[in-house]
Amino acid sequence: FALLQEFVSLTSGNPVMEPANSAAMQMIMLMERQLVINLHAIAAGLPLKIFLPIPNENYSDVAEFSYDNAEKTNNHLRHFSLKMRTETMGEITVTGAELDKKLHVGFHVHEEESVRRLMDNFLHLRSALESQQFDIMGLTATLKQSQWNTTTETIPSISVTA
């Protein structure tokens, strides 16, 4: 953070460095927003969020990753969510839950072709996750109807009985 601030002050007013200066300023603002959001989330007992800047040629975008702190529950169930835009599949949200290496992952997209492409790769994904000692409880791909900025994701849960 401090290095970005120093970079901004050193490059301010230099027309050659304007694009880099602007990108650094956007990163600083993103970090500040993320800090404020997470301070409120911690106080309210909500999942923490990490925002990742994704540079694109014509515009900048942000991927959002959130996760639950499993230490605040007795069963160590962890939830996670990743929202982003991709060039090949458009808007995509990945949600999941993990408990004692038992994992459920759901992919939510806006196009039917993306659902098919994801499902075609589930065998490979399952194999990759199982090679990391995860027991796959479910992999799903669903068509999401709502807009990017107005969605509220339901995080899947896992029920484990002894």
Side-chain angles (χ1 to χ4, degrees):
F1 186 78
L3 290 174
L4 281 173
Q5 286 181 320
E6 184 178 346
F7 177 80
V8 166
S9 67
L10 291 173
T11 59
S12 182
N14 183 339
V16 174
M17 297 298 290
E18 184 58 34
N21 183 282
S22 177
M25 288 177 58
Q26 287 179 356
M27 291 176 97
I28 289 171
M29 290 187 315
L30 183 64
M31 286 178 186
E32 289 171 343
R33 281 182 271 180
Q34 181 173 315
L35 178 62
V36 170
I37 289 169
N38 281 331
L39 287 174
H40 288 290
I42 289 169
L46 297 172
L48 301 177
K49 295 185 182 284
I50 299 170
F51 300 94
L52 310 165
I54 301 174
N56 291 312
E57 204 170 291
N58 299 325
Y59 63 95
S60 60
D61 207 349
V62 175
E64 176 185 321
F65 177 72
S66 66
Y67 62 95
D68 262 335
N69 183 358
E71 294 171 1
K72 66 183 177 181
T73 63
N74 290 335
N75 62 4
H76 301 287
L77 178 64
R78 297 168 193 215
H79 292 113
F80 61 89
S81 173
L82 174 65
K83 296 179 185 180
M84 63 186 162
R85 286 188 177 99
T86 68
E87 200 170 300
T88 56
M89 289 195 290
E91 299 167 2
I92 184 170
T93 302
V94 182
T95 58
E98 184 267 334
L99 174 64
D100 298 327
K101 299 296 264 186
K102 292 175 179 25
L103 180 65
H104 180 275
V105 181
F107 298 86
H108 314 279
V109 292
H110 288 277
E111 299 174 16
E112 286 184 44
E113 177 60 27
S114 297
V115 171
R116 284 190 286 278
R117 290 178 61 200
L118 285 163
M119 292 175 74
D120 288 345
N121 286 291
F122 277 175
L123 186 60
H124 174 71
L125 177 59
R126 177 181 291 274
S127 175
L129 291 170
E130 287 174 345
S131 75
Q132 298 296 312
Q133 281 66 52
F134 283 102
D135 183 14
I136 307 306
M137 305 304 291
L139 295 172
T140 59
T142 59
L143 193 60
K144 185 164 58 168
Q145 300 296 326
S146 55
Q147 294 297 319
W148 170 262
N149 289 326
T150 60
T151 60
T152 54
E153 292 300 324
T154 303
I155 299 175
S157 59
I158 298 174
S159 298
V160 178
T161 55

